[in-house]
Amino acid sequence: MKPDELRGHLDALILAVLEKEALHGYAIMEELGKLSSGAIDLPTGTLYPGLRRLERIGYLRSSWSTVGGRQRRTYELTSAGRRALADERSAWQRFTSVIGAVLDPSATHT
Amino acid sequence: MRLWFRRLRDGEARGRRLPVDHYVSELERVLRGPSRMRADLVREVRDGLTDMADALEDDGLVRPEAERAAVLEFGTVAEVAPGLQRELSFAQGRRTGWLLFVVVALQMAAAEIAWRNDPLAVGPSVRLSEGYLCLADLMDKSQYVILALGLAAVAAFGPAGRWLPAGTGMVRAGGLFAIVAVVFKSIIAIHLVALVPGMMAQPLTLGGAAYQAAVFFLPVCFVMASGWRCLRVGGARLRTA
């Protein structure tokens, strides 16, 4: 998937990746690739403005910590970020069920 | 030490810069904004690139090739810098909002103390005109508006962004407002002092001048400088190579 296809969903993807544990930028991108089986193909650099924006609006908090013997800025979800992720999940489920019903009507009757 | 040997081997020590260093320097050159945050962003980008290059090197590439591939995968400076610049602009907007709020609150408190204790202003024989009282009232109200808008800027360029998406044009507008607000407030303040009968005949002591500089003149300069930076970073056109 290319950046244009992911537009509007990157925030939710970042929040979902950070749901389990605090990670630094490169580890977040690796995890995104792993979870999507390599289908998400973003320029890594586009992740950093997204992380800073989510931190600015209070969905993430960050701190410098030692990872593998090196100092790395790691990000973790705040409680507002967890609520936002839950909202994103519900919105996504509604969206896919509505669009799925239209694109593949037979699936809803089986 | 290992890194130093690697770089020596790869030619950096002979004057050639490796791709990550070159990329980070270029990014640092084009970004504008609060220096601490800018340094922090650049350091984070360098770390991300280094992690990528290390992973590629572990996969078998030699260091310069690994760094070149990492830089390619990262995205060009022209692709990455605008998003980072946007965050730096908002940081400058927040900073200016805080500064405006703190400076105006401090000056309001200082003016209130002076007003209540200066015999020329509150003595029994003092007769202030209707126009003077109107000007004082305008000053009070405008200061409350400035305080409210300073806090609104802090919120808009910070957590309120989740409900009200802000643009960099708003950072420019905020900077312009900060400059106009402190100039307007200073002009009224000078008039309020000068129009008190006998006030201008008072000798200016060294201590009084230092107090005026510390509480009124310098803070106004700081706000104007921060507002000016908002105008610059909010409208920054990134000149990438």
Side-chain angles (χ1 to χ4, degrees):
Chain A
M1 294 176 80
K2 297 297 174 196
D4 281 354
E5 296 174 80
L6 289 171
R7 189 168 292 155
H9 302 297
L10 185 60
D11 287 1
L13 294 172
I14 293 172
L15 294 176
V17 165
L18 290 169
E19 189 179 18
K20 284 185 198 154
E21 60 178 326
L23 293 170
H24 60 88
Y26 179 65
I28 293 169
M29 203 46 118
E30 269 196 325
E31 193 66 13
L32 267 177
K34 207 190 303 173
L35 291 173
S36 68
S37 307
I40 292 177
D41 179 25
L42 283 173
T44 311
T46 57
L47 177 72
Y48 293 91
L51 287 169
R52 292 301 180 125
R53 187 166 44 77
L54 289 169
E55 186 178 20
R56 171 168 55 83
I57 63 178
Y59 289 169
L60 299 181
R61 77 172 73 88
S62 72
S63 58
W64 287 97
S65 58
T66 307
V67 180
R70 287 172 170 172
Q71 282 283 298
R72 290 288 179 266
R73 181 173 277 278
T74 53
Y75 294 85
E76 62 180 319
L77 283 189
T78 61
S79 49
R82 287 187 193 282
R83 285 195 298 275
L85 177 59
D87 291 345
E88 289 281 356
R89 281 203 173 110
S90 316
W92 178 251
Q93 277 156 8
R94 277 198 306 277
F95 177 80
T96 51
S97 67
V98 170
I99 300 299
V102 175
L103 291 181
D104 190 7
S106 60
T108 57
H109 300 297
T110 54
Chain B
M1 206 60 173
R2 261 181 66 205
L3 184 66
W4 185 84
F5 273 116
R6 253 189 230 161
R7 289 186 165 172
L8 182 70
R9 184 191 68 199
D10 294 334
E12 190 197 34
R14 292 193 300 271
R16 276 189 293 146
R17 278 197 306 176
L18 287 169
V20 167
D21 288 338
H22 181 76
Y23 185 93
V24 169
S25 305
E26 176 64 8
L27 189 65
E28 200 166 15
R29 189 185 65 78
V30 299
L31 292 178
R32 298 275 181 274
S35 54
R36 192 182 294 174
M37 183 175 171
R38 191 165 66 109
D40 201 57
L41 278 173
V42 168
R43 181 180 165 192
E44 193 180 8
V45 165
R46 178 187 284 281
D47 291 341
L49 282 164
T50 304
D51 287 338
M52 286 169 72
D54 287 351
L56 292 165
E57 198 176 19
D58 289 344
D59 288 345
L61 294 182
V62 294
R63 190 70 193 178
E65 276 178 34
E67 291 204 5
R68 254 190 298 280
V71 163
L72 271 176
E73 202 183 315
F74 201 80
T76 63
V77 170
E79 283 173 324
V80 174
L84 297 175
Q85 182 57 57
R86 195 176 154 82
E87 294 307 312
L88 282 165
S89 301
F90 290 145
Q92 186 65 51
R94 280 197 304 280
R95 176 180 286 200
T96 304
W98 269 125
L99 197 56
L100 186 62
F101 178 83
V102 170
V103 163
V104 172
L106 173 83
Q107 292 183 344
M108 281 176 80
E112 191 66 26
I113 292 166
W115 182 264
R116 286 178 189 276
N117 295 296
D118 195 318
L120 282 175
V122 293
S125 60
V126 176
R127 294 278 178 274
L128 298 171
S129 70
E130 192 70 19
Y132 186 92
L133 293 173
C134 276
L135 198 61
D137 189 46
L138 174 68
M139 179 71 155
D140 285 345
K141 285 176 178 153
S142 59
Q143 286 185 131
Y144 286 120
V145 170
I146 295 169
L147 287 177
L149 289 175
L151 282 184
V154 174
F157 302 133
R162 71 177 79 154
W163 304 289
L164 296 167
T168 51
M170 283 171 68
V171 175
R172 284 202 301 276
L176 185 63
F177 172 78
I179 293 170
V180 171
V182 291
V183 169
F184 172 78
K185 190 181 119 47
S186 301
I187 291 170
I188 298 185
I190 290 166
H191 279 84
L192 285 174
V193 171
L195 291 173
V196 172
M199 191 64 89
M200 297 309 281
Q202 295 286 305
L204 183 63
T205 62
L206 191 61
Y211 175 80
Q212 294 295 328
V215 176
F216 293 99
F217 182 71
L218 288 177
V220 163
C221 291
F222 287 139
V223 172
M224 288 177 73
S226 193
W228 175 248
R229 284 189 206 106
C230 280
L231 293 174
R232 286 189 65 213
V233 301
R237 289 188 180 179
L238 302 174
R239 283 189 285 271
T240 54

